[in-house]
C-alpha cells in the first residue's frame, strides 16, 4: 500500500529524515514508513527481534508527528527563497 493513503507527504518524509535517510521523490510503501517510525520509537530491527510492538510504533509516531511541521516549514522557507 502507498504511504499517502494514511500519511501526509511531510509526515512520511519526516520518518526518513529522523532516520537520517533522504526521502524518496515518490511515496514509499506504508510498510517502509512503519518500519522507520518503529525505529524512531526505539525498535532496533535486528533479524531476531520480530515485529515492532504497539508501544514502539506509538512512541515513534508521536515523535514523527512532532517533527513533521518542521519539515513543512523548512519546505515553505525553501520555496520562498528565504533562509533563517
Amino acid at each position: 500500500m502507498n504511504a499517502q493513503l494514511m500519511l501526509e507527504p511531510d509526515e512520511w518524509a519526516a520518518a526518513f529524515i529522523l532516520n537520517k535517510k533522504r526521502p524518496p521523490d515518490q511515496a514509499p510503501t506504508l510498510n517502509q514508513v512503519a518500519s522507520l517510525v518503529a525505529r524512531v520509537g526505539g525498535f532496533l530491527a535486528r533479524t531476531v527481534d520480530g515485529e515492532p510492538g504497539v508501544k514502539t510504533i506509538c512512541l515513534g509516531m508521536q515523535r514523527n508527528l512532532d517533527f513533521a511541521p518542521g519539515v513543512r516549514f523548512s519546505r515553505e522557507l525553501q520555496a520562498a527563497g528565504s533562509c533563517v
Side-chain angles (χ1 to χ4, degrees):
M1 284 176 64
N2 190 330
Q4 282 190 255
L5 294 174
M6 302 282 293
L7 300 168
E8 295 290 325
D10 294 329
E11 294 171 348
W12 59 257
F16 279 89
I17 294 168
L18 285 170
N19 280 283
K20 298 179 180 165
K21 297 181 182 217
R22 189 176 189 338
D25 295 329
Q26 300 295 324
T29 65
L30 192 54
N31 194 28
Q32 288 174 312
V33 176
S35 175
L36 293 172
V37 166
R39 287 178 187 227
V40 170
F43 184 64
L44 299 176
R46 297 174 296 202
T47 56
V48 295
D49 285 341
E51 296 296 320
V54 174
K55 184 176 180 180
T56 305
I57 292 174
C58 184
L59 289 172
M61 197 62 190
Q62 286 175 341
R63 189 167 174 211
N64 193 63
L65 291 176
D66 288 342
F67 189 74
V71 172
R72 185 174 302 116
F73 182 67
S74 175
R75 186 175 33 80
E76 289 171 359
L77 282 177
Q78 189 176 32
S82 71
C83 182
V84 176

